[in-house]
Amino acid sequence: MASYDISSRLFYALTGGRLVVLFALFSATLLLENSARLAFSFFLLFAFAFSATIAAVLWFKKRRLTRTLVYAYILSDLFIVSVAVYLTGRTESPLSFFYMLIVLSSCFFDHQIGPVISAGAATLAFFVMGAIELREGSSFQGIALASFVNMAALWLTALLGSLLARRLFTSREEVNRLRSIQDNLVDSLSSGLILVDEAGRVMLINRAGLKILEGLLSIRVGEKLEACWKEAWEYLKGINSGDQADRKELVYKDSSGGPCYIGISHFPLRDNTSDEDKILGQALIFQDITELKEQEKRLLRTDRLAALGEMAAGLAHELRNPLASMSGAAQFLARSKTMDDNFMRLLGIIEREAKRLNNLVESFLLYAHPERPQGHPKADVKVVVEEAVSLLEKKKGLPKATLEMEFKGTQKVAVPEDSLKQVVLNILSNAFEALSEKGGRVKVEGFREGEMVILAIEDTGVGIEDEELRKIFDPF
């Protein structure tokens, strides 16, 4: 069984066409026929058709096109036409061609069964009217010829109408499929897409485009691009004048105040149906490249740190030998008994400073060639933090602060314990130094999140300036 999914416009056109034709017949009968009985019969027929039409429209609005409505629609049309044909000459009626219109209209509702039902019912109606005429004494040959011609026309119309309707419905399904693919293709793009016509009005913006620009811009279909996205409009004007590169990066501020980078490019919409290279509009493709820009910054920072690490390694090796000589000489002189107390104090200073410089050299070497965690026992984060806090309590000059520690379960990580302790000690020192002279609060929290161990350290200090925040991973 074919689908009854026809458009509302087609249904109302067929239904309205029925009333127009019947009204025209009724009007012609009043003008051309002097028979009051015939005019009254057509009036009743028109009233029935009008009532059936109202009922069909109400049913269609409530339940759409069901099988019951289709068959009732076809049979009511057959009844109306059969009565009109019976009143105007039966098998010789000039209105018998309306049967073919019913067969054609039934193809739109059901191109498989509809033509068969309508053509079969019309054939039966001709047989009945022919039998009535034979009983009244009409010529058998005339009735047979008229019936044969009409039935041949009916079934030929049913066959051709069914083929054409099947092709029409197949084409419509293909068009709908292609339209669905087109719509889904546009909305499946991960990049934003905006189509602009020749007048500069936005014809389309896809779902990804709305998501990318959410919180930054408001783009609506039908608006001028110049009014809703001035930078993109100026970019297109620059492209057309030859003053603009093919790609451009635009910078906006997101809801949190951070930078949001939008990369934008374009291509023209050309009319391929004509020989002329006519431009129908422009298409803008754009992406949120904020993460890409951050990756570029991280790569640049990594390259810079790698170069600095190589320089640090070379400098450390060059400094280590003179420091060893200085420290050894100071120790040798300190063991001699010829130095007075003043010289011994100076030698002690030299030895301490040499040791401090050696520690700095070790830091350079550790930065240049960081220690790998393989082979080290797992460090307990809670123990490391407690030892770092113990060392920090001995440091003078730090403001008084309330220290809160909270650890959920046991968190162990496969990193060198000394390195982790140094990192925690540095961050805690920064937290305490950021507090005011009146003191504040420092909170340390450790917990597990999936495969990761999270160590969060927060304070109530003044925080880090934006300019300094970008440099927190720069060494030294």
Side-chain angles (χ1 to χ4, degrees):
M1 180 65 66
S3 171
Y4 303 122
D5 182 23
I6 69 172
S7 65
S8 301
R9 181 179 298 179
L10 178 59
F11 176 80
Y12 292 134
L14 293 173
T15 305
R18 168 205 278 184
L19 292 179
V20 170
V21 170
L22 284 174
F23 183 76
L25 289 176
F26 177 66
S27 302
T29 303
L30 292 178
L31 294 174
L32 300 177
E33 298 290 340
N34 294 324
S35 173
R37 182 179 179 183
L38 183 63
F40 181 71
S41 298
F42 268 98
F43 173 76
L44 293 178
L45 192 63
F46 179 76
F48 171 79
F50 185 80
S51 301
T53 301
I54 296 299
V57 170
L58 293 176
W59 183 289
F60 181 77
K61 285 185 174 181
K62 186 176 181 180
R63 301 186 181 181
R64 303 300 296 172
L65 200 61
T66 62
R67 180 181 298 184
T68 302
L69 178 59
V70 169
Y71 291 159
Y73 195 99
I74 294 174
L75 293 176
S76 65
D77 278 351
L78 287 169
F79 173 78
I80 294 169
V81 171
S82 297
V83 172
V85 169
Y86 183 84
L87 294 174
T88 56
R90 299 171 186 164
T91 58
E92 299 294 334
S93 171
L95 302 182
S96 59
F97 74 93
F98 280 109
Y99 280 120
M100 288 182 284
L101 296 181
I102 295 175
V103 172
L104 286 176
S105 66
S106 68
C107 294
F108 290 103
F109 294 106
D110 186 345
H111 63 269
Q112 294 179 353
I113 305 300
V116 177
I117 293 176
S118 57
T123 302
L124 180 62
F126 262 105
F127 273 120
V128 172
M129 284 185 281
I132 294 174
E133 289 182 351
L134 283 175
R135 291 186 63 181
E136 293 177 352
S138 299
S139 170
F140 174 78
Q141 292 181 345
I143 295 173
L145 179 62
S147 299
F148 175 78
V149 171
N150 281 285
M151 285 187 293
L154 283 173
W155 286 101
L156 183 61
T157 302
L159 176 62
L160 295 177
S162 178
L163 293 175
L164 291 175
R166 183 181 291 110
R167 182 171 297 180
L168 175 64
F169 279 100
T170 302
S171 300
R172 190 183 70 172
E173 289 175 358
E174 182 65 17
V175 169
N176 290 337
R177 187 180 71 85
L178 293 175
R179 183 178 298 166
S180 176
I181 291 175
Q182 178 183 356
D183 294 340
N184 291 329
L185 177 64
V186 170
D187 281 334
S188 297
L189 291 173
S190 59
S191 301
L193 176 66
I194 293 179
L195 302 183
V196 184
D197 62 15
E198 291 180 294
R201 295 189 180 277
V202 177
M203 297 187 294
L204 178 143
I205 177 169
N206 68 341
R207 192 177 304 166
L210 291 173
K211 186 175 181 180
I212 292 172
L213 298 178
E214 184 179 4
L216 302 176
L217 298 164
S218 178
I219 308 293
R220 294 185 179 88
V221 174
E223 288 187 351
K224 286 276 191 179
L225 184 65
E226 184 179 10
C228 53
W229 196 359
K230 185 177 180 181
E231 294 85 357
W233 176 250
E234 292 176 350
Y235 163 74
L236 285 180
K237 287 172 58 180
I239 287 288
N240 295 331
S241 63
D243 298 332
Q244 179 67 56
D246 289 340
R247 288 185 56 85
K248 186 176 182 179
E249 294 180 1
L250 305 174
V251 184
Y252 298 94
K253 285 190 176 182
D254 58 20
S255 56
S256 62
C260 180
Y261 296 89
I262 303 295
I264 186 171
S265 61
H266 97 296
F267 62 88
L269 298 176
R270 302 183 186 277
D271 184 5
N272 295 324
T273 60
S274 62
D275 295 333
E276 301 178 0
D277 191 16
K278 185 179 179 181
I279 303 296
L280 301 177
Q282 301 286 341
L284 290 170
I285 297 181
F286 53 94
Q287 291 178 320
D288 185 349
I289 58 172
T290 305
E291 182 62 28
L292 183 61
K293 298 294 287 186
E294 292 298 325
Q295 290 179 2
E296 289 180 357
K297 290 180 180 179
R298 286 195 291 269
L299 287 174
L300 290 174
R301 185 187 299 118
T302 301
D303 292 340
R304 186 173 70 251
L305 295 181
L308 185 58
E310 293 179 2
M311 182 189 71
L315 182 61
H317 283 296
E318 292 297 328
L319 289 175
R320 174 171 281 183
N321 292 333
L323 284 175
S325 301
M326 290 171 56
S327 179
Q331 292 175 7
F332 177 77
L333 291 175
R335 286 196 296 267
S336 67
K337 304 297 184 181
T338 58
M339 299 292 179
D340 57 17
D341 292 340
N342 190 36
F343 277 102
M344 292 298 292
R345 184 177 60 81
L346 294 176
L347 288 174
I349 293 174
I350 293 174
E351 188 175 353
R352 286 195 305 271
E353 293 302 314
K355 186 176 181 180
R356 191 168 69 85
L357 285 174
N358 187 66
N359 290 336
L360 182 59
V361 169
E362 292 292 340
S363 299
F364 272 110
L365 289 175
L366 183 61
Y367 169 72
H369 303 288
E371 190 176 1
R372 301 298 178 185
Q374 287 83 357
H376 287 276
K378 290 187 176 181
D380 190 321
V381 176
K382 181 179 179 181
V383 173
V384 170
V385 171
E386 289 174 347
E387 291 179 358
V389 170
S390 178
L391 292 173
L392 197 63
E393 289 175 347
K394 299 175 183 179
K395 189 175 181 180
K396 297 180 180 181
L398 294 179
K400 297 286 185 179
T402 302
L403 181 62
E404 300 177 5
M405 290 194 294
E406 181 181 351
F407 293 90
K408 299 176 182 179
T410 302
Q411 296 90 29
K412 291 188 177 183
V413 290
V415 296
E417 184 174 324
D418 291 340
S419 300
L420 179 60
K421 187 187 300 182
Q422 186 63 50
V423 170
V424 174
L425 188 60
N426 290 341
I427 297 177
L428 285 174
S429 297
N430 291 339
F432 275 91
E433 290 171 0
L435 300 176
S436 65
E437 295 180 356
K438 297 180 181 179
R441 182 178 64 88
V442 176
K443 182 179 179 181
V444 182
E445 185 180 6
F447 56 92
R448 184 174 292 276
E449 192 173 277
E451 296 295 325
M452 296 187 299
V453 172
I454 308 298
L455 181 61
I457 301 175
E458 61 179 73
D459 60 73
T460 57
V462 296
I464 305 175
E465 298 290 339
D466 292 339
E467 187 65 27
E468 298 297 328
L469 191 61
R470 292 193 286 266
K471 302 178 183 179
I472 60 174
F473 293 109
D474 293 346
F476 315 119

